[in-house]
Each structure stands twice: as C-alpha cells, then as structure tokens.
Amino acid sequence: MLELRYNPLTDEWIIVSAFTQKRPTRPKTTECPICPGGVEFPGTYDLVSFDNKYPSLQLNPPNVVSESPILKRKPAKGNCEVIVYTSNHQSSLSEMPLLQIEKLIEMWVDRTRDLMQYNFVKYIFIFENRGQEVGASLEHPHGQLYAFPFIPIRISRKLDAFEKGYEEHKKCVICKILEEELSKKERIVYENETMITIVPFYARFPYEVHIYPKRHVDSFLYLSGQEKKDLAKALKIITMKYDRLFNIPFPYMMMFFQSPVNTKDFSRIFHFHVEFNPPKRDKNKIKWMASVETGTWTFINPKIPEEAAQELRNIKVEVK
C-alpha cells in the first residue's frame, strides 16, 4: 500500500507506505547494498543519486479512492531519492574532503532543479539521518530527498512565521536574527565569509545547530560559488565538532530548508537554512521525542543554548 491520508484533526496529510517496512536495517558492512559491488551498484562510483527502492512517494503511484468526504485519500505522488555521498563506506561528512562535500552540494542543487520541473511538486526536502538513534537504516554515508506534492505542515508553519516576522520587523526574520547574533556573538559556533553557524536562541535539542547564509537567499539554486564552498566548510566543521564532542560518531538529523516550488513566490520572506537536530544530551543519554514533544510540539530543552554554543565553539578542529 502507498497512499496519502488526510488527518482532519490537524489538517495535515499522512503518508502510508508499506514499502518502508521492507527496508534492510543496518546490514553488515560486507552486505551493504550501496557499496560498490553491492546490490545497487555492481561497479564503482564517486557520488550518486537514485530512486529509493522503498519509497514513501512515487512519480507514478497507485490510484486510490476516498472512502468518504472526511476520510480522504490521495495518490502518494512525488519522489523519494537516495543520495550516496561517497563510495567509501567508512566515511562521513566530518571525514570527507571539502571537494567531495562541494560536489555533494552541486548534486543537491541539480536534484532540486530537476525535480522542481514537475508542476505537482510543491516542496523539495533534503535531509540526512545519521546513526541508529535517529533511525538510519544504513551506515554507509548517504542522505535522502523527498519531493512532496504538498507543503508539509512544519514548513507551512515556518512560512506563516516568516510572513508575520517580515510584517513586524520590515525585513526577513533570519536577516534580523543575524544582526542580533553577530552583535552578541554568544551563540556563534563558527562563521566564515558568507555563512554563520549558531546554537539558536530557540534551540529545541541540546546541541542543535543552524547554518544561515549571511546574504538573503531562499534556495540552494541561488547560492553563489563562494557560498557553496563556505557552506561545505561549515558542514564539515560542525560535523567534526560533533564527532569530537563525546569522541563518538555523533548521531544527528540534518535538514535543508528552502522555498517551496511551483506555488506562491516566498523569496522575499524565506531565508535558506540548515538545521542539525542531534538526539544526544550527553555521551550516554538521549533527548527523546516523548509525549510532550510529540503530542504538543512543545519542546523541553535540558541544555542552555549559550552553554552548548560555548562547548562546541571550544572544540578545536582543523580543516586541511
């Protein structure tokens, strides 16, 4: 079964996909399906994207019929892709050469540009789940891309907040936040010429980090060449700091937020950004998404963001 079901209690669409239940779960290194010579790739490769064999959305999904005016169904029309960062099973963003991360960014841009040509696609969401603590099914360094036929509810909530903030401050909300952060500097973890990384004032997770371009830009598509290089360096430095925080491969959810496509123009209010949501609150302790977080969307962060920023800032890393 693969379909969308409407939840009239929250005005949101849920994806029902029996395919995802069949995914391999953390197979042995010798049985990795995305290593060169594995099930997916008989030959070698540098980095690659392909349609997910266990999709939640498909370009040509099965037809479905709604049961009633309130219990609505729709075809799960969209696309799910896997993006493999490197052929090296043992690598990670923190260990990859900068040039490889720059090539990865170009692939994210290319996939965004390609998928936005489908008029039914409304939101392109690129992400990485790293570590079994956040449900990653494969250890091999990879991320995913979902091309949604609707604007997901948290993105919709962000758009409302960006619109409200623009009216209140007469400028983009993130541009306004950057003025504050650059003047106070207490939550900055790392910055370069065009990118700034912070533990946000409003962090939901103990070691949450956001990356913001200093220039107002709403999508991967409009980053300059220098901004892509600086984003690659920021991604590498943050993931290196994460791995050294507790001297373990640090689990995280890394998410890229860009403007919706094939709908209203949000470029004036929306500011492209990256969120890292790591589940760790200590080396051996997890910040769980429990009842309050899941049921009310109200997060309780046990870590003071300014202290988390200082801890991460104090970790010295060298990028060669």
Side-chain angles (χ1 to χ4, degrees):
M1 173 178 284
L2 178 64
E3 62 187 32
L4 303 182
R5 293 189 177 189
Y6 179 68
N7 180 351
L9 277 64
T10 54
D11 189 25
E12 65 182 322
W13 288 96
I14 307 299
I15 302 172
V16 179
S17 172
F19 291 120
T20 59
Q21 187 75 344
K22 299 176 182 175
R23 291 176 301 170
T25 302
R26 305 189 75 76
K28 296 176 185 175
T29 301
T30 53
E31 298 171 357
C32 175
I34 55 177
C35 270
V39 173
E40 296 290 346
F41 305 108
T44 189
Y45 61 86
D46 183 21
L47 72 169
V48 66
S49 70
F50 62 97
D51 285 348
N52 196 324
K53 287 179 67 175
Y54 310 97
S56 300
L57 301 162
Q58 279 184 327
L59 288 175
N60 296 296
N63 284 327
V64 296
V65 178
S66 290
E67 294 178 11
S68 73
I70 192 165
L71 299 178
K72 302 175 191 171
R73 288 187 165 107
K74 285 204 311 190
K77 192 174 180 64
N79 205 33
C80 293
E81 296 186 4
V82 177
I83 299 174
V84 186
Y85 298 173
T86 168
S87 59
N88 182 356
H89 184 95
Q90 304 297 337
S91 191
S92 64
L93 269 185
S94 62
E95 296 179 0
M96 285 162 52
L98 268 179
L99 180 59
Q100 190 72 8
I101 302 176
E102 290 171 16
K103 287 192 285 186
L104 176 59
I105 290 173
E106 292 295 347
M107 176 167 280
W108 289 330
V109 171
D110 287 346
R111 298 313 306 139
T112 297
R113 185 176 289 117
D114 187 44
L115 287 164
M116 66 187 289
Q117 294 180 40
Y118 294 100
N119 195 51
F120 66 83
V121 172
K122 303 303 177 191
Y123 199 77
I124 297 171
F125 185 61
I126 296 166
F127 63 97
E128 177 189 350
N129 294 326
R130 186 198 191 197
Q132 57 185 346
E133 295 89 342
V134 295
S137 56
L138 299 175
E139 291 182 357
H140 195 117
H142 72 288
Q144 298 183 60
L145 179 156
Y146 276 28
F148 286 95
F150 56 85
I151 299 176
I153 195 164
R154 184 163 183 256
I155 311 300
S156 181
R157 183 69 180 271
K158 281 193 177 207
L159 293 169
D160 290 344
F162 273 65
E163 187 83 58
K164 178 182 174 186
Y166 195 96
E167 289 179 8
E168 183 176 344
H169 303 292
K170 308 305 178 194
K171 69 188 311 181
C172 156
V173 170
I174 288 183
C175 289
K176 184 70 178 172
I177 289 168
L178 289 179
E179 290 178 0
E180 290 269 323
E181 297 295 351
L182 285 166
S183 67
K184 293 181 178 173
K185 297 190 180 299
E186 60 183 342
R187 286 177 291 272
I188 295 176
V189 177
Y190 165 78
E191 68 173 306
N192 53 38
E193 184 181 346
T194 67
M195 297 286 156
I196 183 169
T197 69
I198 63 171
V199 175
F201 175 78
Y202 33 83
R204 301 182 302 165
F205 290 85
Y207 291 98
E208 182 169 339
V209 166
H210 291 190
I211 303 176
Y212 302 141
K214 291 180 178 176
R215 180 175 70 93
H216 182 82
V217 57
D218 70 312
S219 166
F220 264 129
L221 300 179
Y222 307 115
L223 292 176
S224 69
Q226 186 60 49
E227 286 169 334
K228 290 174 190 171
K229 288 179 181 292
D230 287 347
L231 175 59
K233 192 169 184 180
L235 291 170
K236 183 171 177 67
I237 284 178
I238 292 304
T239 51
M240 289 175 75
K241 285 177 177 283
Y242 273 159
D243 283 356
R244 295 193 187 173
L245 181 61
F246 302 130
N247 291 315
I248 56 171
F250 198 72
Y252 56 72
M253 294 171 277
M254 177 179 70
M255 299 163 284
F256 294 84
F257 295 93
Q258 46 188 343
S259 265
V261 297
N262 301 314
T263 183
K264 175 183 170 184
D265 180 8
F266 292 98
S267 60
R268 182 177 60 108
I269 63 164
F270 196 85
H271 198 119
F272 170 79
H273 56 288
V274 186
E275 289 188 12
F276 282 91
N277 288 181
K280 288 277 189 184
R281 59 187 172 96
D282 204 338
K283 183 171 185 176
N284 300 310
K285 296 176 181 173
I286 294 288
K287 162 62 185 169
W288 296 107
M289 288 274 289
S291 297
V292 173
E293 287 84 356
T294 303
T296 71
W297 243 23
T298 301
F299 278 68
I300 302 164
N301 185 353
K303 187 82 180 177
I304 298 171
E306 291 74 21
E307 292 180 357
Q310 185 169 5
E311 278 184 61
L312 290 169
R313 190 165 55 241
N314 289 345
I315 297 171
K316 304 300 180 189
V317 297
E318 185 178 357
V319 177
K320 297 178 181 176

